[in-house]
């Protein structure tokens, strides 16, 4: 809060990069405080960072904060532009898309997605000349980071196949003996389902076997021939 102006402007962007599509309460509250900062560039960056942190989550708390910010800044065109951007990001793809660069049970990181996020956030380091100026198209870098966060299952003919799946918080079972539970506190849904940050899905039936070990995105299922009729 008391650092040099150039560093204070970058802090909201760093928080956004560390927590893309993962709206933690402490990060949202920090960004909310910075969105009322006397330095306009800090406020711009904090508002946009709120959009990145909540992108595609439909987070009700964040959406409410942004509505209040829209009323607060209704006479400031630049800050209002940032609020509208952030609102669009929070409801990205009506809540079916994400900007998180991690995939495959968060074991792999997409360099393309990280590059898209970094390209946009670096442009925000000079927000008045680039984003609010004539280079607002730099925002299109975000497109390379967008990916679906839903789980959709298909049969081998690529026709949609609704099946029961258990969705719960992922548990790290690396190095544990036997067959430990990979999710905790699960709920059973029928595909297609949305997976929030830190969640994992597993098939709730033995009737089908997935052709991939990672249950996310688009998954093809094969009929389990060992299953007794």
């Amino acid at each position: 809060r008391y650092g040099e102006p150039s560093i204070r402007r970058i802090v909201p962007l760093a928080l956004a990069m560390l927590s893309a599509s993962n709206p933690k309460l402490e990060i949202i509250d920090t960004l909310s405080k910075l969105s009322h900062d006397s330095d306009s560039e800090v406020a711009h960056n904090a508002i946009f960072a709120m959009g990145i942190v909540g992108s595609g989550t439909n987070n009700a708390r964040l959406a409410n904060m942004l509505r209040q910010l829209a009323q607060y800044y209704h006479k400031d065109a630049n800050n209002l532009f940032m609020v509208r951007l952030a609102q669009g990001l929070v409801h990205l793809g009506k809540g079916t898309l994400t900007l998180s660069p991690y995939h495959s049970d968060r074991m792999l990181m997409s360099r393309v997605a990280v590059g898209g996020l970094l390209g946009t956030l670096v442009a925000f380091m000079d927000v008045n000349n680039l984003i609010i100026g004539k280079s607002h198209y730099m925002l299109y870098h975000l497109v390379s980071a967008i990916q679906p966060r839903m789980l959709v299952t298909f049969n081998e003919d690529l026709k949609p196949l609704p099946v029961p799946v258990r969705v719960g918080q992922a548990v790290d079972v690396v190095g544990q003996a036997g067959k430990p539970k990979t999710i905790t506190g699960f709920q059973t849904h029928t595909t297609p389902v949305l997976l929030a940050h830190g969640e994992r899905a597993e098939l709730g039936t033995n009737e089908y076997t997935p052709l991939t070990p990672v249950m996310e995105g688009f998954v093809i299922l094969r009929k389990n021939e060992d299953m007794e009729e």
Side-chain angles (χ1 to χ4, degrees):
R1 187 177 290 185
Y2 305 111
E4 297 172 29
S6 56
I7 293 172
R8 291 177 69 245
R9 289 167 188 165
I10 291 171
V11 165
L13 304 177
L15 288 173
M17 188 75 205
L18 286 170
S19 195
S21 292
N22 181 18
K24 295 178 183 168
L25 277 180
E26 58 270 25
I27 288 182
I28 293 175
D29 288 341
T30 304
L31 291 174
S32 180
K33 285 174 194 158
L34 291 171
S35 66
H36 293 87
D37 200 274
S38 55
D39 183 338
S40 65
E41 287 196 39
V42 175
H44 294 337
N45 290 352
I47 295 168
F48 183 73
M50 287 166 82
I52 296 285
V53 166
S55 53
T57 61
N58 278 344
N59 188 284
R61 184 189 178 108
L62 206 44
N64 189 40
M65 281 180 178
L66 290 169
R67 276 194 297 273
Q68 290 171 355
L69 277 172
Q71 290 176 340
Y72 183 78
Y73 286 125
H74 71 283
K75 287 184 181 172
D76 183 339
N78 291 340
N79 272 320
L80 192 58
F81 171 59
M82 289 300 155
V83 173
R84 297 298 181 221
L85 274 177
Q87 285 177 314
L89 285 171
V90 168
H91 302 293
L92 192 67
K94 295 187 178 178
T96 61
L97 302 173
T98 179
L99 291 182
S100 176
Y102 295 102
H103 59 96
S104 302
D105 281 339
R106 286 170 311 290
M107 285 189 284
L108 300 176
M109 184 180 77
S110 165
R111 294 183 185 181
V112 175
V114 172
L117 281 169
L118 265 179
T120 309
L121 295 178
V122 167
F124 269 82
M125 289 182 185
D126 188 10
V127 65
N128 284 335
N129 290 326
L130 291 176
I131 305 299
I132 293 171
K134 293 187 176 177
S135 302
H136 43 77
Y137 49 80
M138 299 282 278
L139 288 165
Y140 282 122
H141 284 305
L142 279 181
V143 173
S144 59
I146 295 174
Q147 54 184 340
R149 70 180 185 99
M150 60 263 196
L151 165 65
V152 188
T153 49
F154 299 92
N155 62 17
E156 289 181 282
D157 298 324
L158 298 185
K159 299 232 170 52
L161 179 66
V163 292
V165 289
R166 293 188 287 269
V167 178
Q169 284 297 310
V171 179
D172 188 4
V173 294
V174 175
Q176 291 186 23
K179 282 193 173 180
K181 295 248 187 326
T182 57
I183 58 175
T184 180
F186 61 82
Q187 289 182 318
T188 304
H189 301 284
T190 303
T191 57
V193 294
L194 289 174
L195 299 178
H197 190 276
E199 286 186 342
R200 184 181 287 162
E202 57 182 38
L203 270 183
T205 173
N206 292 326
E207 196 177 340
Y208 297 94
T209 52
L211 300 188
T212 168
V214 180
M215 291 288 289
E216 64 183 49
F218 302 103
V219 176
I220 297 174
L221 302 178
R222 177 178 286 161
K223 193 91 170 162
N224 191 353
E225 291 169 3
D226 300 334
M227 177 111 173
E228 293 180 10
E229 291 296 329

